[in-house]
Amino acid sequence: MTSSTTPINPTPPSLSLPPSQFARLQPHAYLLAHLSPPPASNQPSVRANGRATSQFRVTSANAGSLTHTNGSAVVRIGDTAAVCGVRAEILHTKDIASWSVLQASSEQNLDKSNDVGVSETHDEEDRGHIQDLNLLVPNLSLSTGCAPGFTPGAPPSALAQSLSHQILSLLHSTRLVRADDLRIWYQPPNLDSEEFRNAGEGMDVDTEQSEGSEREIKAFWVLYIDVMIISLAGNPFDAAWASVLAALRDTKLPKAWWDADNETILCSDNVADARKLSLRGLPIASSFCSFEGDAAAGWRAVVIPDAEEQKQKKGAQQRWILADPDGYEEGLSQERASVVVDKENGKTVIVKMEKHGGWTVDSDDLRQLVDVSARRWDEMKRILDQC
Amino acid sequence: MADRRRINGPPGGTRPPVFASLQESSTDIANRAQRQRQPTELRKIFLKAGLIPTASGSSYLEFEPSASLAAARSNPKSLIPPSSALKLACTVHGPKPLPRSAAFSPNLVLTTHVKYAPFAARKRKGHIRDASERDLGVHLETALRGAIIAERWPKSGLDITLTIIEAEDDRWWGDAPDSHDASWGMMNVLAGCITAASAAIADAHIDCLDLVSGGVAALVSDDSSQSASSAPRLMLDIDPAEHRSILSACVVAYMPARDEITELWLKGDSSRAALDRNDGRTGHEALIDGAVDAARGANTVLAEAVRESIARSFA
């Protein structure tokens, strides 16, 4: 049974296996034995790695240690480590093919929306600029030798592509980065007022219109967000997202202005002039997997109509939802769930919820998972605030 | 044309930021990083083996930041970093059976991959390995092949992957716009790669003749007077950002127990070295000796890291 039950009789050594070998030969039985100890033994149900089912691995974060980045972070969740570096580059509006069209349409929207309410359209425009112009470019790399399966030098694997895309869509849907932070404005010199006005002074749409002289966007900052998974031991998404979040919190953009003489954007290298991004909220991702004692149970319910009653007769809990699965547990489970939550004024907000690969996790479970994720949010906030 | 497997930025392309201070005056001597170490003094190396449990062997290496970088970090004034310090992670996977399609090999087949992270250097790197990264991989492979006892694993392969998280600069940033000299930072990166890979291979319990470590030496002329009499001097373990002009540099991969060099890479003109009168060596000999000295220094750190990882695996 469990690894802890050692044979009492001195058996020949060839028949007894050390736990590590048992774990390799019979992984499913090994984890099942840990999670459902015999009732007589009075042992609590723990996972093979010693954690309780809703316990996350030890997490640490460290920000700002890389020299050539605008913002960087290293996040370790157990043995999974992700390094994220944010590099900012400039996109001139004259390099955007459809810029004049975009601008015209956004002005039309503004005119229409003046009576609807400015804040709503402002948000909408925010999303439009970041999404239409690809101002956020996250890429995740697994070909760092982080795990045996990924050949270095090969194109990104399906997992890497899917993780990159998940990060991108989460960045867009949470609207974490404000488009205002990424715009570089130019105010044509007014003869009677001061010479130049730079970005970041007043973003209000109304003042701009009342002044009369048109302030125009000359360029955007593009954030290249690159995540290198240095070590992969399960649950890469949580680690990658946490590193992206920590790196963006660390990101400083230099003060930039349009230099009319050179017709280019110049930046100030003074640290005092640089400003941090003002992010919206702090969405934290928590991933779970469902380990089934009997993997075919769900299917049997469909094929054999009275299977459900038989199962209830047994009364045994046949599946466990494991928080923050490590690589070993991920290999043994089909069903995954991922919850991204944020907290606004103490209230938990679900930002994203994803579940696939099975049907054992029902709506009650999902409600519990949100609670677990909310607790995880508090923990992660403490860790990210410290770094 | 666009890489469909990755998320691409704006199709029109982006430009790295241009700093106004760079345009005004590029000869700001006060800002220039200066070497604070003695010519034969090496930088400290942080090396730890066995950090990545999913790999059969792994290591992490970090060079000590230069004095100017340390000062800039503790008291940031400018957004332009004065120099950078090498940080890299190395993993070893194997020995594992070669795929069936591979030809028979009586020896261990070594594959090395060196990849810079996109944010590793002053200029953003692409996701696909470029020629210089492939070149580093080939240099690294020759350096390691001489150390591994390859006959013990017929029909097997060994994958060595290095991820450069932060690279060394090729020159001081202020000189960058109008300089056309070689990429000196690559040589430091190679030396770091050799030392880290050696630690990871030992961590994977692969039989080697000896621990092979990398060292760099260079001939530099630092005099601002630029007089003809100022002959270039030999320096060990250079940080290219700290020197005005590097004439020649040399990397060796060196095994102290056998006093053997498995890889030698010498670049530039080494004929004008300023040596003692009674020193009979030519410039390149002095350069190689210097690099070997630097490699000996790195070897002490390497041996300690390997001893630590072995002790942990038997504990």
Side-chain angles (χ1 to χ4, degrees):
Chain A
M1 273 297 283
T2 59
S3 58
S4 52
T5 52
T6 45
I8 300 157
N9 307 328
T11 46
S14 59
L15 288 178
S16 75
L17 289 174
S20 63
Q21 277 184 29
F22 187 46
R24 271 190 200 186
L25 291 170
Q26 292 286 331
H28 191 272
Y30 183 72
L31 183 54
L32 183 61
H34 271 87
L35 285 168
S36 55
S41 70
N42 261 337
Q43 277 176 346
S45 165
V46 289
R47 300 199 232 170
N49 46 32
R51 284 186 281 156
T53 48
S54 65
Q55 193 183 353
F56 288 77
R57 285 173 287 181
V58 176
T59 307
S60 65
N62 183 16
S65 49
L66 297 185
T67 310
H68 292 307
T69 57
N70 291 76
S72 66
V74 184
V75 169
R76 296 180 146 267
I77 299 183
D79 283 331
T80 302
V83 179
C84 177
V86 177
R87 276 290 275 267
E89 291 201 352
I90 291 171
L91 170 69
H92 286 243
T93 47
K94 63 175 179 241
D95 290 342
I96 305 171
S98 58
W99 176 242
S100 51
V101 183
L102 263 173
Q103 213 178 15
S105 69
S106 72
E107 269 168 22
Q108 264 181 4
N109 282 343
L110 271 181
D111 289 345
K112 254 189 267 169
S113 61
N114 265 347
D115 39 282
V116 181
V118 178
S119 66
E120 204 174 300
T121 54
H122 203 249
D123 279 3
E124 202 50 49
E125 197 199 347
D126 238 42
R127 189 187 299 211
H129 271 163
I130 288 187
Q131 219 155 326
D132 294 346
L133 303 175
N134 301 322
L135 297 185
L136 299 176
V137 194
N139 272 297
L140 179 134
S141 173
L142 286 173
S143 34
T144 54
C146 59
F150 305 102
T151 43
S157 60
L159 177 63
Q161 291 179 50
S162 127
L163 288 170
S164 301
H165 191 79
Q166 281 182 52
I167 292 171
L168 178 68
S169 61
L170 194 53
L171 281 171
H172 282 164
S173 68
T174 54
R175 300 187 294 115
L176 188 68
V177 179
R178 287 171 208 267
D180 267 349
D181 286 342
L182 303 181
R183 294 191 183 116
I184 300 169
W185 292 90
Y186 172 60
Q187 174 99 46
N190 213 340
L191 286 177
D192 45 335
S193 70
E194 72 266 57
E195 279 180 46
F196 292 107
R197 183 134 354 139
N198 303 311
E201 280 191 19
M203 288 298 157
D204 225 351
V205 183
D206 295 351
T207 55
E208 180 197 320
Q209 281 177 343
S210 62
E211 260 176 27
S213 64
E214 69 273 34
R215 212 163 64 117
E216 54 177 325
I217 300 174
K218 276 294 186 185
F220 291 96
W221 286 108
V222 175
L223 301 182
Y224 289 94
I225 304 166
D226 290 290
V227 184
M228 313 294 281
I229 303 284
I230 297 296
S231 167
L232 176 62
N235 200 358
F237 182 69
D238 286 7
W241 177 252
S243 73
V244 168
L245 198 61
L248 284 174
R249 279 159 67 95
D250 181 51
T251 300
K252 264 187 183 167
L253 292 180
K255 180 176 145 187
W257 64 91
W258 173 256
D259 190 57
D261 298 341
N262 291 322
E263 296 216 318
T264 185
I265 300 282
L266 290 182
C267 304
S268 150
D269 69 322
N270 195 344
V271 169
D273 287 345
R275 68 202 149 77
K276 290 208 161 196
L277 296 176
S278 53
L279 302 177
R280 282 197 186 90
L282 184 81
I284 299 285
S286 322
S287 296
F288 305 89
C289 77
S290 155
F291 174 75
E292 296 168 56
D294 181 4
W299 297 101
R300 210 174 290 131
V302 178
V303 180
I304 310 165
D306 58 337
E308 194 63 29
E309 296 160 27
Q310 285 180 358
K311 191 179 154 196
Q312 277 171 1
K313 254 182 250 167
K314 273 197 233 161
Q317 190 203 17
Q318 282 301 310
R319 56 142 188 79
W320 293 264
I321 296 173
L322 310 177
D324 187 23
D326 59 18
Y328 184 72
E329 291 161 345
E330 268 186 348
L332 291 172
S333 57
Q334 297 289 316
E335 189 171 357
R336 305 281 162 76
S338 175
V339 182
V340 182
V341 296
D342 198 350
K343 275 191 184 175
E344 286 169 13
N345 309 325
K347 216 179 94 204
T348 307
V349 179
I350 301 171
V351 178
K352 177 191 145 180
M353 192 180 252
E354 199 178 288
K355 183 180 98 73
H356 56 86
W359 47 17
T360 56
V361 180
D362 54 22
S363 52
D364 289 342
D365 292 323
L366 278 179
R367 208 162 286 140
Q368 279 176 14
L369 292 188
V370 172
D371 292 343
V372 174
S373 309
R375 283 203 294 278
R376 173 70 172 167
W377 188 90
D378 295 329
E379 188 189 342
M380 281 302 285
K381 180 169 169 45
R382 191 174 45 76
I383 291 164
L384 290 179
D385 282 346
Q386 275 170 2
C387 77
Chain B
M1 188 58 215
D3 190 347
R4 289 162 143 266
R5 296 191 181 100
R6 294 189 175 86
I7 294 163
N8 298 297
T14 55
R15 307 172 196 186
V18 178
F19 290 102
S21 58
L22 207 75
Q23 290 205 325
E24 286 158 12
S25 60
S26 61
T27 49
D28 193 356
I29 312 287
N31 269 348
R32 206 184 176 98
Q34 288 284 329
R35 183 175 170 125
Q36 308 288 330
R37 292 173 283 138
Q38 294 300 309
T40 54
E41 193 184 342
L42 307 177
R43 280 177 288 183
K44 289 198 185 81
I45 299 176
F46 174 82
L47 179 65
K48 205 165 164 83
L51 287 176
I52 300 168
T54 45
S56 33
S58 62
S59 64
Y60 176 78
L61 178 135
E62 207 176 301
F63 277 0
E64 177 197 19
S66 65
S68 53
L69 181 59
R73 277 207 187 136
S74 60
N75 180 22
K77 280 199 190 86
S78 168
L79 287 175
I80 309 172
S83 74
S84 62
L86 187 68
K87 290 184 178 69
L88 61 87
C90 174
T91 56
V92 171
H93 289 286
K96 56 187 178 190
L98 286 175
R100 270 168 195 276
S101 54
F104 171 77
S105 161
N107 294 327
L108 185 70
V109 178
L110 205 61
T111 344
T112 49
H113 286 266
V114 179
K115 182 76 196 92
Y116 283 65
F119 46 78
R122 219 166 266 274
K123 208 165 162 252
R124 222 179 94 82
K125 284 263 182 182
H127 289 101
I128 297 165
R129 280 193 304 159
D130 62 12
S132 70
E133 289 165 334
R134 281 170 200 276
D135 187 30
L136 277 178
V138 172
H139 278 293
L140 179 64
E141 191 190 327
T142 42
L144 298 175
R145 206 193 288 136
I148 294 176
I149 308 172
E151 305 89 71
R152 299 213 177 145
W153 288 275
K155 301 184 280 181
S156 321
L158 189 70
D159 284 349
I160 300 169
T161 316
L162 283 117
T163 308
I164 318 284
I165 298 167
E166 187 175 314
E168 297 262 297
D169 281 328
D170 287 334
R171 57 188 74 83
W172 183 57
W173 57 268
D175 293 340
D178 56 322
S179 61
H180 305 284
D181 58 348
S183 48
W184 303 111
M186 246 173 95
M187 308 192 93
N188 277 327
V189 171
L190 178 63
C193 284
I194 292 166
T195 311
S198 189
I201 288 170
D203 184 46
H205 305 304
I206 307 244
D207 300 355
C208 291
L209 294 170
D210 190 10
L211 292 170
V212 56
S213 59
V216 181
L219 290 176
V220 296
S221 61
D222 267 340
D223 289 322
S224 46
S225 55
Q226 314 225 313
S227 57
S229 63
S230 64
R233 290 199 299 156
L234 181 72
M235 299 246 182
L236 303 192
D237 191 24
I238 45 148
D239 180 349
E242 292 177 337
H243 299 289
R244 188 169 294 268
S245 89
I246 298 168
L247 296 177
S248 169
C250 170
V251 194
V252 295
Y254 178 73
M255 295 191 289
R258 290 161 64 100
D259 192 26
E260 192 176 309
I261 291 173
T262 59
E263 155 81 19
L264 173 69
W265 185 19
L266 197 144
K267 212 157 63 166
D269 173 22
S270 57
S271 60
R272 294 195 289 130
L275 301 168
D276 287 343
R277 291 234 172 269
N278 47 11
D279 198 343
R281 298 180 299 176
T282 54
H284 70 271
E285 281 170 346
L287 206 51
I288 294 168
D289 286 348
V292 165
D293 284 345
R296 277 213 184 93
N299 202 282
T300 55
V301 181
L302 176 61
E304 192 54 45
V306 169
R307 201 172 295 132
E308 214 172 82
S309 93
I310 299 288
R312 216 177 314 132
S313 69
F314 284 111

